[in-house]
Amino acid sequence: AGRRGRNVVRVRIVGQSSLGWLEAAWLWGASLEAYVTGSNEVTRLVQKLYPDILCLTEPHGMRLPPNTPWNGIVMATLRSDEEARLFRAIVERWRPTWVVAACHGSTSRNIVMKWLGHKISHSSANKWSGRCIHSAFGGVTDSEWKVWYLSKTEDIKISLARMTTTKYSRPLQTALDDTLPGSQEARSFEVCERIGSQVGWVTDRGGHRFPVYDSGERAPDLGKTPTEVKELWVRAKSVWSKQSVIRRVQLEEVLGLWDYADKNVYRGLSKSTKVGLLRARQASPPAKILRMITFLLCNEIQEHLLPNSHQAFLPISGGQKASQANAQSALETQAIQRVEATQADDAAIEMDHWAMAGETKQEADARQVLRKFAHLWWCKNLEAESKRWLRKNGNRKEDRDAVADCVRRARGSDYWEWRRGSRLFFWRWPEEWMQDARDGIEFWHLSDPPKGNMKSKPCADRDDELMLRTKVFSCLFRWYFEQGFHDLLITCFGVKKGLTDIRAVWNASSNGLNATLWAPKFAMATFLDTEGMVVKWLSTTVLDYLKAGSPPQDYSQEPSIFKKSFQYDSDVGQMFHNFLMHAKERHSHGVRFVHTRNDGSVEEVSFWRWCVLNFGCRCSSYAACQGEERILEVCHGDPSDKTNPFEYCSVWENWPTAMNYDPSMSRVMLLRSDGELATRDVPYVDDIRGAARGEDEKPATQAQKTLAKGMNRLGNQEAARKRRIPSLAPGAWTGKMLHCTGPYPVRSTTLKKWKRGKDSLQWILDRADESSWIDTAELRRIAGVWVDLTDIYKEARCFLKGMFNALEAFREGRDLDGWRLLEAMEESHDLEFYDSLRRDALEGYPARTKITPELLMHVRALQKLFNSEEPRVVEVRPREANMLRYIVADASAEGFGYGTQFPEMQFVEREGMWTPEFGDSSSNLREATNIAHNLKRDIESGMHDGCELWCGTDNAVWSAVWNKGMSTARALFYLMVDIKQAAYDHSCFVICFHISGNRMIATGIDGLSRGDTDAGTSLGFDIRLFLPLNITAFDVPDNGLDSWCRSWMGDDYDRPLDTMEWFAPGRRVHTQVWAPPPAGALIALKELAKLRLKRPYEHTHVVLIPRILYQEEWRSRFEKEMDIWFLVSCNDVWPHSAFEPLVVGLCFPLHREYPWLLRLEREKVVAIGRSLSQMSKESHIRVGDYLRKLWRDPRSLPEV
């Protein structure tokens, strides 16, 4: 896989000393037809390590077809007369087109000519011989070998210069492990006069004397007389000592000296097998010589047999950049309707959206009359329907009272407005949610609520006070208040809403109520969710486009022929007041109502209590958003109904590193039966953004109407006055702009928010010039602004950590990460979104915050990236499928390796050596410097214009600098800022992600940094095979997860949800097993969170994800959703070939008794997770035993 056409090169190996040739040809990917060994010991070794290769004795080899000349290569190493005799006999019998033979450099020319034979050497049209010195090929020994190449064709030639010009001389230390200490076996060490690389003699405890070699020089020739491991001693560098240490070279290191350094290969092999392998390999030239000759020759033969199989690399231009001057103007000017979503409660309805083209005034008046009759009919039909339901369902008092309230509110409405408020028509709801819709949900109490009658603080002026009282009166008029017992009053204050309106906020914190309440956290939609609903213009359906291989589109044609993404906005009127407050909670929600007098007389006061949710109670957001998500699920209807605007029947997975990945499209696409992208919507509290595909806005209009009908049918207010009709250029959604007016979707922000963000950065710097402290409330609001902005400009999100670390520094220097950082960001964002007061911003925080160097570094980085006067307009994705790059980089103490894979498997490698001074620096600095400088150079050269770059690194420092804004490595931090600026200038989408060191070894880039070419991309393998962002845990070869999960879940275990079921998991069994690929983990976890919000008491979730993209994409959401999580290390359940550990998370249902969620017992669940992670390194059986106990009774949290 990933090495097309290589099996046309046919190879046969001859001789017991030729194992190295076999391994080189196997690595390249040639078709190995046979190995005539001449040795039982080598045969057993090959059969164990390479069971698919045919091993033959001499008689069987002589009978191997064909009888005519064979068009392939024979490779051999000659060490004795007997091997030479076998070689001559086989070559004369097979008559191959190409022959390669090697012998040690100490072999005389006369012996070599005797071994080759007159007939073989004189029957070739093309001959070449050369003296190959290991160090010239990048090796670490002084070994020399003679190689002969004989060919019957003139067009395939090799030369020593081609093989050695790009190689660097490397010291012995390159192949040594610097984490090993000095040997305890050394009794004494004597310095001697330097002889080559020998620096002395060591005597071990047994009295044996061995030479010691300097690791800064080259090792002796291990091929002249095969060396026993115990005979090789070195004076080497060690992290355990400032001075060089004397120690014995380990077995794996000796293999590394001969260029077989891949430790992953030796896992599971016995010592005797490794010793036998070493001896067999030492009989042939070092692997770097063998591979260079083999790879060069095989590439030439492949080109000879398959012309044009290797295409020249041509950089793919990104075309016009998203930052063109005409795209830099604010997107607000393109919006056909209002930009801001905020509307006054009494704003007029834009009737033009419901009028026919050219409609006269008489027709409009007639329409109004018809609407009145339609509303009367609707009220009568609703009443009759409710009575039928009551008769059918027992006519209980609680149902009768609820129905009567629903009917009276309906009668008080008109065609457009719920003027007397609304109440959910609970009998139309699914049975599982009917009682919650009728009665509301009970709150979660940490303690008994307080009691008292606090007074509201008056507004700053009389006009605002009257406006606020009007809002309170409207609540009374809409029957949101009721008469009844209360023992606690809730105060009220006003917050500006737009320019001419005010929002009444009911403060349940100042009276102490919120301190006694707890509410579950829940996930809110982000701008990323809206981006997933839109794709570029296409002349055909999305499915046809993808099946055709994502061909380029000709946008010079008439725009009307393309299918586009139209977006619309709907709004929930009186969002929180749509949902009833449970009767048990109302006594703590009393209201003081002032009867206004403008004649100077005393204003009377009456007391009421809330009967619906109010804005300000801790539990209101959860209850209201839960209800709204349930409503949307009902409104979306049956996805299999082809008449449903929200219909879908299949899903297209578009994961990075998959062979058919198209970066210009969304990662997961639900598709309709006609092959077009399904219509979807996402809510953010009361703002609902939807998108539908079509040549015009009709599909989006139909979806918006269906949604509005469904909401009103359930008694949920769809605010017609706030509706924004389908458009390619809609207004802002939560302050963010997403337009599809051109072929490629673009995103930006409003000019108001852009300037506010820039001004806030300057304000911080100005405060820093005056003092070392800053106002906490203002800093939290600023952080909220930038959380909002970096939802759009994702590359800058890492620079917010300086703000949050400064804010949280009073908590004993706590460094935010994972779910804690996500939670802090969400809290700050809410302060910005709801225009919260200073006292809310200061809740739980000191009045002042210390200005830290990290904060200032991050603020200046943001200033550098956001330096334009107009908001940046950036494209959502690359423009075409081929605008994609995969990059891997690694570094050793001696050098570096850097590789880039372009489309069509064009892989470009870059390697080099460090200066001695820089080579002595930390490994983290070397590796980070390698990827940073190479990436910056390539981006600035225009090589990656408009492309998506997936950069894999095993360097934790660079990953932390790029993704978390780590500022301790300052040189790298500033370099990272420059790269992000260059990426914007060149429209690049850069994703840096961390992989394990073993995976980096498998890619071959680790070896490339040492001059090795024995793995991964150096062998022509597709780099995507080593970066499994698209592979689920259950698809990893040789995993034992199915039986392991069944062993502790028992009959509750069911197969993992497929991608289609992520979007409708409520229809599956009680236990949900989620196993998304790493690239889809965040999407799956968001759907899991949505399910938990809608059905919190029903499902237990088990999540299994390989730990890739963990820090970069899904860690925060994962840790926030899971009760217990741990790592499964490589063992019988999780194979070593997976490299990274498996992340397993358990999420149990919500309970009505404390702990409502198991994660509230934080110390216990963290200790369990750590213990299980440690235990899995020793025994997966013990982990399964504990999980079995936990599964039976999770709330007991048994000790590990």
Side-chain angles (χ1 to χ4, degrees):
R3 302 198 290 178
R4 294 174 296 205
R6 293 198 171 197
N7 58 359
V8 301
V9 180
R10 304 160 69 188
V11 177
R12 295 177 183 179
I13 312 295
V14 178
Q16 67 178 17
S17 300
S18 304
L19 178 63
W21 289 108
L22 178 145
E23 293 184 308
W26 180 84
L27 281 173
W28 185 83
S31 175
L32 278 162
E33 296 186 352
Y35 183 14
V36 181
T37 62
S39 167
N40 292 334
E41 183 180 349
V42 175
T43 299
R44 285 193 295 271
L45 198 60
V46 172
Q47 288 175 340
K48 181 174 184 178
L49 299 178
Y50 305 97
D52 295 334
I53 294 177
L54 178 65
C55 291
L56 302 174
T57 60
E58 180 180 352
H60 289 93
M62 296 295 287
R63 293 195 294 269
L64 195 67
N67 295 321
T68 56
W70 175 67
N71 192 26
I73 320 170
V74 168
M75 295 178 164
T77 297
L78 309 180
R79 301 290 302 236
S80 66
D81 290 343
E82 176 57 26
E83 283 183 300
R85 184 201 61 77
L86 174 62
F87 169 74
R88 290 194 304 272
I90 289 293
V91 170
E92 290 173 7
R93 168 66 181 81
W94 290 345
R95 289 173 287 170
T97 305
W98 303 278
V99 175
V100 179
C103 64
H104 193 267
S106 61
T107 309
S108 68
R109 179 176 178 81
N110 290 336
I111 292 177
V112 170
M113 298 311 298
K114 172 186 172 183
W115 283 352
L116 288 179
H118 177 81
K119 186 174 182 179
I120 295 176
S121 61
H122 287 79
S123 63
S124 303
N126 182 18
K127 303 176 187 177
W128 174 87
S129 64
R131 182 178 292 270
C132 298
I133 303 173
H134 189 199
S135 59
F137 284 76
V140 298
T141 76
D142 288 323
S143 186
E144 291 188 21
W145 293 78
K146 295 176 181 178
V147 178
W148 279 262
Y149 164 64
L150 309 172
S151 172
K152 293 182 178 179
T153 64
E154 291 281 356
D155 53 347
I156 297 179
K157 299 179 181 180
I158 61 176
S159 70
L160 193 61
R162 288 180 64 188
M163 294 184 279
T164 60
T165 51
T166 61
K167 300 303 175 184
Y168 305 93
S169 179
R170 298 172 187 270
L172 168 59
Q173 183 67 48
T174 302
L176 300 180
D177 187 348
D178 61 3
T179 65
L180 297 178
S183 176
Q184 299 297 319
E185 301 176 50
R187 191 174 67 184
S188 65
F189 171 67
E190 304 171 28
V191 178
C192 71
E193 185 177 345
R194 184 179 288 268
I195 306 171
S197 59
Q198 184 181 346
V199 293
W201 295 87
V202 67
T203 303
D204 67 9
R205 291 180 177 178
H208 303 100
R209 201 160 178 257
F210 302 103
V212 178
Y213 299 96
D214 186 359
S215 66
E217 303 293 336
R218 288 190 289 274
D221 186 353
L222 306 182
K224 188 173 183 180
T225 54
T227 305
E228 295 289 340
V229 175
K230 67 180 181 179
E231 298 174 1
L232 195 58
W233 287 72
V234 292
R235 184 173 68 184
K237 295 178 181 179
S238 172
V239 297
W240 300 102
S241 172
K242 293 183 178 179
Q243 305 297 325
S244 295
V245 299
I246 306 298
R247 66 177 180 85
R248 193 191 303 274
V249 179
Q250 302 297 308
L251 176 57
E252 287 80 3
E253 291 179 307
V254 179
L255 285 161
L257 297 181
W258 218 238
D259 306 325
Y260 297 94
D262 189 349
K263 296 178 181 179
N264 293 329
V265 174
Y266 308 126
R267 186 180 287 114
L269 296 182
S270 66
K271 183 176 180 179
S272 60
T273 300
K274 288 187 278 189
V275 170
L277 190 58
L278 173 61
R279 289 173 178 167
R281 286 171 170 173
Q282 283 181 311
S284 276
K288 287 184 178 178
I289 297 176
L290 296 177
R291 291 170 196 148
M292 183 57 69
I293 295 172
T294 302
F295 292 7
L296 178 61
L297 183 57
C298 288
N299 283 332
E300 294 287 342
I301 294 174
Q302 183 190 19
E303 180 65 25
H304 172 73
L305 299 175
L306 296 175
N308 300 320
S309 62
H310 298 283
Q311 299 175 356
F313 160 64
L314 295 175
I316 299 174
S317 171
Q320 292 178 313
K321 298 186 178 124
S323 55
Q324 292 177 6
N326 61 356
Q328 284 294 317
S329 58
L331 293 190
E332 293 110 304
T333 59
Q334 300 177 9
I336 64 169
Q337 219 170 333
R338 66 186 185 279
V339 173
E340 297 289 342
T342 304
Q343 278 277 82
D345 291 340
D346 57 354
I349 295 172
E350 299 178 53
M351 303 297 294
D352 292 345
H353 301 325
W354 282 266
M356 296 184 299
E359 184 173 84
T360 64
K361 184 179 184 303
Q362 290 79 7
E363 289 172 331
D365 292 342
R367 191 187 297 276
Q368 287 289 76
V369 174
L370 290 174
R371 285 180 179 135
K372 291 180 181 179
F373 280 109
H375 178 259
L376 289 173
W377 175 87
W378 174 74
C379 290
K380 290 183 177 294
N381 183 67
L382 180 72
E383 186 173 4
E385 176 192 314
S386 62
K387 289 179 179 178
R388 289 194 300 270
W389 182 87
L390 285 171
R391 289 194 296 269
K392 184 178 178 181
N393 290 273
N395 201 21
R396 293 169 299 190
K397 181 180 184 304
E398 56 268 29
D399 289 335
R400 288 199 307 274
D401 292 346
V403 164
D405 190 27
C406 292
V407 171
R408 70 167 180 161
R409 291 174 185 274
R411 286 175 174 168
S413 66
D414 60 25
Y415 189 88
W416 299 108
E417 294 282 348
W418 298 80
R419 299 193 179 278
R420 301 308 300 267
S422 66
R423 180 167 177 174
L424 301 177
F425 302 150
F426 62 92
W427 63 90
R428 291 176 170 176
W429 282 55
E431 187 173 352
E432 61 176 322
W433 298 326
M434 191 178 293
Q435 185 172 339
D436 287 351
R438 186 193 68 188
D439 302 334
I441 65 172
E442 293 185 47
F443 297 165
W444 294 267
H445 293 270
L446 295 166
S447 62
D448 292 335
K451 299 179 181 179
N453 293 330
M454 294 181 63
K455 288 187 177 181
S456 299
K457 184 178 180 180
C459 293
D461 56 59
R462 181 69 175 177
D463 290 340
D464 285 349
E465 179 70 23
L466 292 177
M467 195 181 302
L468 179 60
R469 290 186 185 182
T470 302
K471 296 288 186 182
V472 176
F473 174 76
S474 69
C475 291
L476 179 64
F477 181 76
R478 291 188 171 101
W479 295 320
Y480 294 153
F481 300 156
E482 66 177 14
Q483 292 288 333
F485 169 76
H486 69 275
D487 52 15
L488 181 66
L489 290 181
I490 294 184
T491 60
C492 179
F493 62 88
V495 173
K496 286 292 185 180
K497 180 181 176 183
L499 298 176
T500 59
D501 200 9
I502 197 169
R503 177 190 291 127
V505 178
W506 299 88
N507 190 358
S509 295
S510 60
N511 64 2
L513 176 62
N514 279 345
T516 68
L517 297 175
W518 173 87
K521 299 290 185 180
F522 59 98
M524 301 291 288
T526 65
F527 194 52
L528 185 64
D529 300 314
T530 64
E531 290 178 6
M533 301 189 302
V534 302
V535 295
K536 61 186 180 182
W537 294 8
L538 295 173
S539 58
T540 183
T541 65
V542 169
L543 182 60
D544 289 342
Y545 167 78
L546 293 169
K547 283 186 173 181
S550 304
Q553 303 291 295
D554 180 9
Y555 293 117
S556 64
Q557 302 180 73
E558 178 63 33
S560 60
I561 72 168
F562 294 98
K563 298 179 185 294
K564 312 172 188 71
S565 295
F566 289 84
Q567 300 171 79
Y568 60 85
D569 288 294
S570 295
D571 194 278
V572 184
Q574 305 288 321
M575 169 70 178
F576 286 23
H577 304 335
N578 279 250
F579 304 96
L580 218 62
M581 183 183 293
H582 198 278
K584 292 182 179 179
E585 311 296 340
R586 298 176 190 176
H587 67 93
S588 297
H589 294 263
V591 177
R592 175 185 283 105
F593 180 77
V594 180
H595 298 267
T596 303
R597 297 284 186 271
N598 287 322
D599 56 3
S601 60
V602 176
E603 296 177 328
E604 296 180 0
V605 175
S606 60
F607 294 92
W608 302 75
R609 69 178 189 179
W610 282 97
C611 60
V612 296
L613 298 177
N614 57 67
F615 186 80
C617 175
R618 171 157 290 161
C619 296
S620 292
S621 295
Y622 176 84
C625 291
Q626 179 189 69
E628 199 59 43
E629 282 286 0
R630 290 171 171 178
I631 288 169
L632 291 178
E633 180 176 313
V634 176
C635 292
H636 292 160
D638 181 3
S640 63
D641 181 4
K642 294 184 179 181
T643 63
N644 180 4
F646 297 97
E647 174 254 346
Y648 62 88
C649 65
S650 62
V651 64
W652 186 280
E653 300 172 352
N654 186 39
W655 308 129
T657 72
M659 297 302 170
N660 62 346
Y661 174 57
D662 180 354
S664 69
M665 304 294 281
S666 304
R667 288 198 196 175
V668 175
M669 289 166 279
L670 293 175
L671 301 177
R672 303 194 306 238
S673 54
D674 63 358
E676 194 48 83
L677 195 66
T679 300
R680 298 179 63 191
D681 54 41
V682 292
Y684 189 89
V685 191
D686 58 347
D687 298 323
I688 303 172
R689 166 62 61 89
R693 295 278 291 177
E695 293 180 359
D696 54 32
E697 67 277 4
K698 289 180 181 178
T701 301
Q702 183 61 35
Q704 190 177 32
K705 288 181 178 179
T706 299
L707 179 62
K709 291 175 183 176
M711 290 169 63
N712 286 312
R713 180 182 177 278
L714 296 175
N716 186 220
Q717 300 182 34
E718 195 274 336
R721 69 181 179 279
K722 297 184 180 181
R723 188 184 299 183
R724 290 191 289 198
I725 61 174
S727 167
L728 295 174
W733 182 77
T734 67
K736 309 169 188 76
M737 311 284 288
L738 179 62
H739 284 191
C740 300
T741 50
Y744 309 103
V746 295
R747 60 177 184 256
S748 186
T749 187
T750 61
L751 184 61
K752 175 183 175 182
K753 183 151 288 189
W754 177 267
K755 289 186 174 180
R756 184 176 178 188
K758 290 187 61 181
D759 292 345
S760 68
L761 298 178
Q762 189 58 51
W763 182 84
I764 293 174
L765 295 178
D766 291 343
R767 298 288 81 71
D769 291 339
E770 301 169 1
S771 170
S772 58
W773 297 87
I774 196 169
D775 183 71
T776 298
E778 191 59 31
L779 184 58
R780 289 195 75 197
R781 291 195 191 97
I782 290 170
V785 171
W786 281 99
V787 168
D788 207 48
L789 283 171
T790 54
D791 243 5
I792 306 167
Y793 309 106
K794 303 176 184 65
E795 68 279 3
R797 176 58 63 91
C798 64
F799 300 119
L800 302 193
K801 198 170 182 188
M803 296 186 191
F804 288 103
N805 277 343
L807 286 166
E808 300 294 328
F810 75 97
R811 305 185 201 274
E812 299 180 358
R814 169 178 165 187
D815 184 61
L816 290 192
D817 207 356
W819 68 271
R820 298 179 303 179
L821 179 59
L822 178 63
E823 192 168 86
M825 287 185 172
E826 289 176 348
E827 290 173 356
S828 294
H829 177 265
D830 288 346
L831 294 174
E832 159 68 11
F833 184 77
Y834 294 119
D835 297 326
S836 300
L837 298 183
R838 175 180 172 80
R839 62 176 175 235
D840 297 312
L842 280 176
E843 185 177 353
Y845 286 82
R848 297 192 306 165
T849 293
K850 180 75 173 177
I851 298 176
T852 63
E854 180 189 40
L855 170 61
L856 296 179
M857 285 180 67
H858 286 184
V859 166
R860 292 190 178 102
L862 288 171
Q863 271 198 328
K864 182 173 182 178
L865 292 176
F866 295 85
N867 56 5
S868 62
E869 291 301 318
E870 292 284 337
R872 280 186 176 183
V873 179
V874 295
E875 292 183 357
V876 173
R877 304 181 192 93
R879 296 186 170 191
E880 303 296 341
N882 60 4
M883 303 177 81
L884 176 65
R885 311 284 190 264
Y886 295 107
I887 298 170
V888 281
D890 199 24
S892 62
E894 291 72 35
F896 65 86
Y898 183 90
T900 305
Q901 181 164 303
F902 297 84
E904 302 300 326
M905 285 179 55
Q906 302 148 334
F907 195 84
V908 177
E909 292 179 344
R910 188 180 297 152
E911 61 173 315
M913 299 286 288
W914 303 121
T915 61
E917 296 78 13
F918 191 76
D920 289 335
S921 61
S922 72
S923 61
N924 282 330
L925 179 62
R926 291 194 303 267
E927 295 190 21
T929 300
N930 173 31
I931 189 170
H933 280 282
N934 280 293
L935 185 61
K936 183 173 183 288
R937 184 179 75 173
D938 288 350
I939 291 176
E940 291 178 342
S941 72
M943 183 185 295
H944 304 315
D945 281 6
C947 294
E948 184 173 275
L949 281 61
W950 288 88
C951 306
T953 174
D954 65 347
N955 179 248
V957 170
W958 177 251
S959 179
V961 170
W962 184 269
N963 294 298
K964 300 180 183 179
M966 188 181 77
S967 57
T968 51
R970 297 205 170 190
L972 293 176
F973 177 86
Y974 292 124
L975 190 58
M976 177 266 289
V977 175
D978 290 340
I979 294 174
K980 294 203 172 192
Q981 180 64 53
Y984 169 70
D985 292 338
H986 292 265
S987 302
C988 294
F989 305 81
V990 184
I991 306 101
C992 285
F993 63 101
H994 188 265
I995 60 177
S996 70
N998 285 335
R999 184 173 297 283
M1000 185 62 75
I1001 292 172
T1003 66
I1005 300 300
D1006 176 86
L1008 183 65
S1009 70
R1010 296 177 173 83
D1012 296 329
T1013 55
D1014 60 347
T1017 57
S1018 298
L1019 306 177
F1021 281 103
D1022 191 330
I1023 189 61
R1024 292 173 289 187
L1025 300 177
F1026 304 98
L1027 304 175
L1029 307 183
N1030 60 319
I1031 302 298
T1032 72
F1034 285 82
D1035 291 330
V1036 171
D1038 304 320
N1039 77 81
L1041 293 177
D1042 191 85
S1043 58
W1044 180 69
C1045 290
R1046 198 179 299 277
S1047 71
W1048 52 271
M1049 293 170 65
D1051 294 337
D1052 291 333
Y1053 175 73
D1054 195 16
R1055 64 170 179 80
L1057 299 171
D1058 60 38
T1059 310
M1060 187 80 161
E1061 289 170 326
W1062 295 355
F1063 302 92
R1067 300 171 188 173
R1068 284 283 301 274
V1069 293
H1070 168 75
T1071 301
Q1072 312 279 0
V1073 179
W1074 300 71
L1082 180 60
I1083 298 171
L1085 288 169
K1086 284 185 175 182
E1087 293 301 322
L1088 183 153
K1090 191 184 298 183
L1091 174 63
R1092 288 188 59 247
L1093 176 60
K1094 292 185 288 188
R1095 296 176 174 85
Y1097 305 103
E1098 299 176 25
H1099 298 293
T1100 298
H1101 304 279
V1102 180
V1103 180
L1104 305 97
I1105 311 171
R1107 198 183 67 178
I1108 310 179
L1109 295 181
Y1110 175 63
Q1111 296 283 4
E1112 297 80 9
E1113 288 195 358
W1114 54 272
R1115 176 189 173 185
S1116 298
R1117 187 78 267 150
F1118 174 83
E1119 292 183 2
K1120 201 161 185 183
E1121 297 301 329
M1122 297 300 109
D1123 290 313
I1124 297 173
W1125 66 273
F1126 58 94
L1127 301 179
V1128 175
S1129 300
C1130 297
N1131 50 39
D1132 295 342
V1133 169
W1134 188 240
H1136 290 282
S1137 60
F1139 298 120
E1140 290 81 15
L1142 177 71
V1143 184
V1144 179
L1146 305 176
C1147 176
F1148 296 98
L1150 184 68
H1151 276 260
R1152 274 291 165 187
E1153 297 178 0
Y1154 189 88
W1156 303 295
L1157 290 173
L1158 289 189
R1159 74 194 68 161
L1160 296 179
E1161 299 284 353
R1162 178 135 193 90
E1163 291 186 3
K1164 289 185 179 180
V1165 298
V1166 169
I1168 289 171
R1170 288 174 178 168
S1171 298
L1172 291 176
S1173 298
Q1174 184 63 34
M1175 190 187 296
S1176 76
K1177 297 176 181 179
E1178 304 164 3
S1179 171
H1180 71 276
I1181 296 176
R1182 290 178 60 202
V1183 175
D1185 289 342
Y1186 175 80
L1187 292 175
R1188 195 177 302 113
K1189 297 176 187 176
L1190 179 68
W1191 193 260
R1192 292 195 194 107
D1193 186 13
R1195 294 182 62 76
S1196 68
L1197 288 176
E1199 292 186 5
V1200 180

